Amino acid sequence: MPERRDFLVNAIKGLGLAATGGLAWSGFIEEGKSAPLILRPPGALPEKEFIASCIKCGMCVEACPYDALALAEPGDDKPIGTPFFTPRTNPCYMCKDIPCVPACPTGSLDESLVSDKDENGELKLNINLAKMGLAVIDRETCIAYSGIQCDACYRSCPRIDEAITIDYTRNKRTGKHALRAPVVHSEACTGCGLCEKACVTQKSSIFVLPREIAMGKSSERYIKGWDERDGERIKDVTEEVTTQTPRSGKSAIDYLNNEDF
Amino acid sequence: MRKYKYQIPRRLLQISILFIFFGGNAYGWNVLRGNLSSAKVLDAIPLSDPFAVLQSYSAGASIATDALVGALIILLFYAVLGGRVFCGWVCPVNMVTDLACKIRTSFNLDTIWKSWDIQRGVRFWVIGLSVVLSAILGVAAFEWISPIGALHRGIIYGFGFGWAFVLIVFLFDLFAVKNGFCGHLCPLGGFYSIVGRFGFLRIGYDKAKCTSCMKCIEICPEEQVLSIVNQHSGAVLSGECINCGRCIEVCDDNAVKFSSIYLNKYSNNK
């Protein structure tokens, strides 16, 4: 039965080649996907959904009046064809009408992520809701933290006194001067990067990182009792809750008092 | 001039589409903005690459209305028009691979080396792989490595190392397989060959006028579609024909011309 044999051989050959090609292909994609240090335009979906839906058309790039956005190309070490910005040279200027977002045909830049209701209950774009990244300060190179008077980042911040505030403390080194240290607040910072551009140090001492990288996450069970909003989470708890673990049935080890030391 | 009757308008169309896109980005022209992946005409009509949308869908993205409508418009347009008109008249990689093919034939590379050969059906495997890999990896897999995307994005928004992707295709076509990329591997071409299978625009062949010089088969980048030549009058039925019209240009006997699959004149009777 030569036909059946030919068919089988050809099918196996085809599958083998497809597997080889497919593996090389996936390897290349995985390599590019794993570059997490990328700052997306305002209103971008979470990175995983973003790279699945972005069609790489560049209409957000065209819509940006400041030419802040660019499409990643091979060699940029970022997901190929997707938009990003580089704050040190071209930060996001936080346009009120956010032209890059409605330009997106695929919804990868999602208007609902940067809109809230105005007084008439209508959805309106609000750039202050953008979460492009989070500014992080290197206190060792920031000159304000060494006692030099600099508030370049604070002055450049479009959400001055909300996203960046100045912490006034005593300069312990000189004993007679003030330390005016900038502090970033994650709930207000949009990650626009105007501070990174404004920073006067040779390499910026305040820089925007993707929020997943810049931020930690504490467990649900820690409740800030002094914070009214956080305290609400245990408002309805009436009985005492104790956590059962494999150890919790045993008595505490008290070696300091009971054992020979 | 007759020898370039279709080639000149083809190149003009390919270049001017890129130029209008380029002007949209560089000078803010509002005629056609975006690129070949997705675009907007006159700030109103959305257009999208249906194959890219398919991959996005496979990758698990929810498809927005604009992208979906745009993809349907393009799909319908090429389905009605027929053949791979996108490949022959719009896609910028066609210029690259045509150049490679021209150099290859003028230096007689095919007779010097026994060239590699791969089957034309490989592109349909690549379509399958694109869709499967998109689902596994969560990104539009072919769009990631596409030399078409690298080329038009590069021209419109600036090249990174994107030119390397285009150079690979050029060298592959020049030294390895004749019409290797567009005629064997490209899943977008394969996709449009399925889409355009029943469209009306076709190459019609008249056996009565034919002198069997075989120039059409020599020039054709998809020579398997011209199987009717020297057999019987009729229309080229395969969707793999890119409707470039090179066969019409080279025919000295007026035996080949643009026709329709649905016209009786070239109905496929023996």
Side-chain angles (χ1 to χ4, degrees):
Chain A
M1 291 213 236
E3 293 104 37
R4 187 194 280 177
R5 168 178 251 164
D6 282 355
F7 174 76
L8 280 174
V9 167
N10 277 332
I12 290 167
K13 219 162 114 188
L15 282 174
L17 283 174
T20 315
L23 282 172
W25 188 349
S26 343
F28 182 73
I29 292 180
E30 278 297 319
E31 193 72 10
K33 244 170 69 180
S34 59
L37 287 175
I38 188 163
L39 297 171
R40 298 297 187 189
L45 296 173
E47 183 67 10
K48 225 180 138 188
E49 294 163 49
F50 185 84
I51 55 172
S53 59
C54 172
I55 201 166
K56 316 178 195 324
C57 66
M59 283 201 266
C60 51
V61 176
E62 290 187 19
C64 178
Y66 294 98
D67 286 339
L69 295 173
L71 292 186
E73 284 304 330
D76 287 340
D77 217 7
K78 297 187 167 71
I80 292 170
T82 56
F84 69 100
F85 70 102
T86 315
R88 185 60 164 171
T89 47
N90 267 321
C92 169
Y93 285 89
M94 288 177 60
C95 314
K96 274 193 164 165
D97 55 345
I98 331 182
C100 51
V101 175
C104 179
T106 59
S108 307
L109 304 179
D110 188 347
E111 283 185 50
S112 70
L113 292 178
V114 279
S115 304
D116 56 3
K117 286 186 178 149
D118 62 3
E119 56 272 21
N120 303 323
E122 277 175 63
L123 272 181
K124 262 188 110 177
L125 288 171
N126 179 0
I127 186 65
N128 286 341
L129 297 173
K131 291 275 175 264
M132 295 172 271
L134 178 62
V136 174
I137 298 172
D138 180 352
R139 297 185 176 201
E140 290 180 1
T141 54
C142 169
I143 55 174
Y145 276 89
S146 330
I148 296 168
Q149 287 235 358
C150 173
D151 54 7
C153 56
Y154 169 73
R155 295 283 162 202
S156 71
C157 180
R159 305 198 67 191
I160 186 168
D161 280 328
E162 290 174 277
I164 302 183
T165 56
I166 296 288
D167 218 10
Y168 295 84
T169 47
R170 201 167 71 87
N171 186 338
K172 284 185 200 148
R173 182 177 55 81
T174 63
K176 52 188 170 186
H177 299 95
L179 206 65
R180 294 155 38 97
V183 177
V184 181
H185 302 277
S186 67
E187 72 279 0
C189 176
T190 62
C192 70
L194 278 160
C195 53
E196 183 174 336
K197 185 171 165 65
C199 182
V200 300
T201 57
Q202 195 174 32
K203 179 165 176 282
S204 190
S205 299
I206 182 166
F207 39 86
V208 181
L209 293 176
R211 292 177 80 87
E212 311 79 72
I213 289 175
M215 295 175 79
K217 187 176 188 295
S218 59
S219 301
E220 288 280 299
R221 61 178 172 274
Y222 298 108
I223 289 154
K224 294 170 186 150
W226 60 92
D227 179 344
E228 239 175 76
R229 239 184 29 216
D230 209 30
E232 291 231 328
R233 292 199 285 146
I234 47 166
K235 204 177 62 186
D236 299 326
V237 179
T238 47
E239 56 187 306
E240 196 163 309
V241 183
T242 40
T243 310
Q244 294 294 330
T245 70
R247 270 214 84 88
S248 56
K250 299 174 189 164
S251 56
I253 297 169
D254 189 12
Y255 60 87
L256 275 181
N257 295 317
N258 301 338
E259 288 173 36
D260 291 337
F261 262 105
Chain B
M1 231 25 209
R2 205 181 73 81
K3 294 280 168 209
Y4 299 100
K5 194 168 143 198
Y6 297 111
Q7 205 170 356
I8 291 170
R10 268 191 328 120
R11 296 290 178 250
L12 279 177
L13 190 64
Q14 284 162 339
I15 291 168
S16 49
I17 286 176
L18 282 180
F19 187 65
I20 295 170
F21 275 134
F22 176 82
N25 181 39
Y27 315 117
W29 300 345
N30 221 347
V31 189
L32 186 62
R33 309 192 80 160
N35 62 23
L36 290 178
S37 300
S38 190
K40 209 149 205 189
V41 184
L42 298 172
D43 216 12
I45 309 162
L47 302 175
S48 291
D49 174 351
F51 186 55
V53 172
L54 175 71
Q55 291 170 74
S56 262
Y57 179 74
S58 168
S62 55
I63 306 296
T65 328
D66 259 17
L68 192 65
V69 171
L72 286 177
I73 292 176
I74 291 291
L75 203 64
L76 211 68
F77 177 76
Y78 287 117
V80 170
L81 197 55
R84 283 160 55 195
V85 173
F86 172 81
C87 302
W89 294 74
V90 178
C91 183
V93 172
N94 177 261
M95 293 188 270
V96 177
T97 54
D98 272 1
L99 179 66
C101 185
K102 194 168 170 67
I103 298 174
R104 197 185 164 99
T105 33
S106 42
F107 284 93
N108 264 331
L109 296 189
D110 280 314
T111 48
I112 297 171
W113 305 315
K114 176 93 190 91
S115 73
W116 300 355
D117 205 10
I118 41 182
Q119 283 175 5
R120 299 237 175 218
V122 168
R123 52 187 155 204
F124 300 108
W125 284 82
V126 182
I127 295 181
L129 263 183
S130 305
V131 175
V132 171
L133 288 186
S134 298
I136 297 173
L137 301 173
V139 299
F142 178 64
E143 300 313 300
W144 197 289
I145 58 161
S146 164
I148 311 164
L151 183 54
H152 64 67
R153 276 200 308 273
I155 291 170
I156 300 164
Y157 301 109
F159 281 103
F161 261 112
W163 55 266
F165 283 37
V166 184
L167 187 64
I168 289 171
V169 167
F170 178 75
L171 294 175
F172 180 71
D173 271 31
L174 181 58
F175 294 116
V177 183
K178 190 181 179 193
N179 297 311
F181 182 72
C182 300
H184 298 75
L185 295 180
C186 179
L188 188 60
F191 178 81
Y192 279 124
S193 79
I194 301 168
V195 171
R197 171 66 184 80
F198 297 105
F200 72 88
L201 185 66
R202 284 309 145 102
I203 301 295
Y205 167 71
D206 187 353
K207 183 154 191 284
K209 289 184 182 163
C210 178
T211 54
S212 307
C213 68
M214 297 294 156
K215 277 187 189 157
C216 53
I217 303 221
E218 261 167 47
I219 198 93
C220 181
E222 299 274 345
E223 70 257 4
Q224 79 284 3
V225 306
L226 287 175
S227 55
I228 52 169
V229 168
N230 228 4
Q231 305 287 325
H232 56 85
S233 293
V236 166
L237 288 182
S238 170
E240 286 168 9
C241 169
I242 67 169
N243 276 332
C244 61
R246 300 297 302 276
C247 50
I248 306 173
E249 292 165 356
V250 295
C251 182
D252 295 321
D253 312 314
N254 246 342
V256 200
K257 48 171 68 118
F258 273 122
S259 152
S260 161
I261 196 171
Y262 302 110
L263 280 185
N264 289 330
K265 194 175 163 203
Y266 293 117
S267 66
N268 279 35
N269 301 325
K270 296 217 166 158

